[in-house]
Amino acid sequence: MKTRIYTKNDQGCLEKLGNILRHGGLVAIPTETVYGLGANGLDPEAMDKIYTAKGRPSDNPLILHVPNQDAVAPLVKEITSTAKKLMDAFWPGPLTITLPKSDLVPYRATGGLERVALRCPGHELCRALLEEAGVPIAAPSANISGRPSPTSAQGVLHDMDGRIDAILDDGPCQIGVESTVVEVGDDEVIILRPGGITDSMLEQVVSKVSYDSHMTSGQGVPKAPGMKYKHYAPDADMVTYVGNREQVAAAIQDGLSHLEGNIGLLISEEVKETLGTYLDQDRIKTLVYGSMDNPVSLAHNLYASLLTFNELGVDHILAQGVPSKGIGVAIMNRMEKSSGHHVITL
Ligand code: TXA
Ligand code: MG
């Protein structure tokens, strides 16, 4: 299969891509979080192709993407008042809401679960394509299962070239980590996967916000099946250090003195400054992924940096983590997995 790349400047591209999607093809779509691998969310055979292209475990459900709130009603049993409040507050945007599914939604979309995950992306061109397709679009992140999610069309092509019909390239994704996934109860939400919409943002809309106990205790079965799999893993082994800039700089120096081969450093501007000329060694590849004062920038560059380390072919990655608050919860959730839980608090 030849994978074609379209941009919004290609005449009639939304019509063409909408048509491919409606008729069972696979199209990678840009969103504000990461690129998604889209298929018709009402067509089990089309969704089967997603699992094959990604090598995804079949019990891991898909998020259905809709162009607006009106498209939700046919897909669920009921839109509760809490769900409505969340949609009003955060849609379009990086919040995925699970609700009891209607009979219209195939179990292929939900991995056999009774709830369906729904999201209206805060990306205008994406919503225009969803509108054009006229069906809900099932879209997991457009990576081979287990690898970092792509935040650019080049990243999608790297994993999916020849496996999918087309990519709609609309440049780099604004946020860079996936949406927050929540289960909605009565004036209550449970965060199943942390993301761009933080716990304190949710608290402004619903009275009770908690995390799935699997996330807080590391025990039991996660309510979002995807949370149990190995994820976001770069090719090299990775260690993440959490502490202040001096502590992290010292830990990195110590790590470097014990490790052989090429080392990738994923650090903030501040730690780079502290390490200074120490970094002037050929075997060290340093990627600055933002400033500690601006964790949003760190989220934005995280996956792209991990993919760059794959291209550079480093043997080890020493990374700087962040405090687990605000979007830092989502960043650390992903870094924990990228480093195979090798996170050291200094
Ligand atoms: O930002 C995003 O959410 C991106 C873009 C493309 O929209 N999509 C994405 O999809 O991250 P995916 O498939 O890589 O991750 C979806 C997560 C998985 O952890 C999955 O288990 C969980 O959401 N999920 C999906 N449907 C669910 C359901 N019905 N109940 C519980 N968890 C669900
Ligand atoms: Mg994913």
Side-chain angles (χ1 to χ4, degrees), residues 91-248:
W91 281 13
L95 181 71
T96 297
I97 300 173
T98 74
L99 287 170
K101 77 173 199 72
S102 71
D103 293 340
L104 188 64
V105 175
Y107 282 111
R108 198 72 197 95
T110 66
L113 299 176
E114 291 304 329
R115 281 177 173 258
V116 59
L118 298 159
R119 155 159 146 79
C120 175
H123 188 289
E124 223 170 297
L125 186 64
C126 177
R127 286 201 308 281
L129 176 56
L130 295 174
E131 189 89 58
E132 185 66 42
V135 288
I137 297 299
S141 49
N143 50 285
I144 301 272
S145 263
R147 295 169 53 87
S149 308
T151 55
S152 70
Q154 291 68 39
V156 177
L157 199 64
H158 182 275
D159 278 16
M160 291 296 155
D161 195 12
R163 294 170 181 248
I164 63 176
D165 296 286
I167 302 174
L168 177 55
D169 180 357
D170 199 39
C173 301
Q174 187 209 334
I175 297 178
V177 292
E178 298 87 344
S179 63
T180 306
V181 180
V182 298
E183 184 177 304
V184 185
D186 217 6
D187 204 21
E188 165 181 19
V189 299
I190 305 171
I191 299 176
L192 311 187
R193 178 179 72 178
I197 302 292
T198 63
D199 47 15
S200 53
M201 290 161 83
L202 291 164
E203 269 161 11
Q204 298 187 353
V205 180
V206 291
S207 6
K208 191 171 165 226
V209 176
S210 57
Y211 284 91
D212 182 8
S213 59
H214 170 80
M215 264 185 63
T216 41
S217 70
Q219 312 282 313
V221 179
K223 281 170 177 273
M227 296 288 278
K228 69 176 178 278
Y229 293 111
K230 184 170 188 279
H231 253 108
Y232 319 115
D235 295 339
D237 68 54
M238 173 166 157
V239 183
T240 302
Y241 299 106
V242 184
N244 66 33
R245 66 190 271 183
E246 285 78 21
Q247 288 169 325
V248 172

Side-chain angles (χ1 to χ4, degrees), residues 312-335:
L312 293 170
V314 298
D315 302 299
H316 306 275
I317 299 170
L318 304 181
Q320 177 182 9
V322 300
S324 286
K325 58 173 196 278
I327 195 161
V329 180
I331 296 174
M332 283 315 293
N333 171 264
R334 307 313 192 270
M335 290 186 93

Side-chain angles (χ1 to χ4, degrees), residues 35-66:
Y35 274 75
L37 181 51
N40 183 342
L42 300 180
D43 177 350
E45 279 174 30
M47 289 184 278
D48 275 342
K49 294 184 196 166
I50 290 182
Y51 287 89
T52 307
K54 279 182 64 87
R56 182 175 173 106
S58 61
D59 72 337
N60 194 2
L62 303 169
I63 298 172
L64 297 190
H65 295 67
V66 293

Side-chain angles (χ1 to χ4, degrees), residues 273-285:
E273 205 181 285
T274 305
L275 285 168
T277 52
Y278 190 83
L279 300 175
D280 299 340
Q281 302 176 40
D282 279 349
R283 70 183 192 115
I284 302 180
K285 318 286 173 202

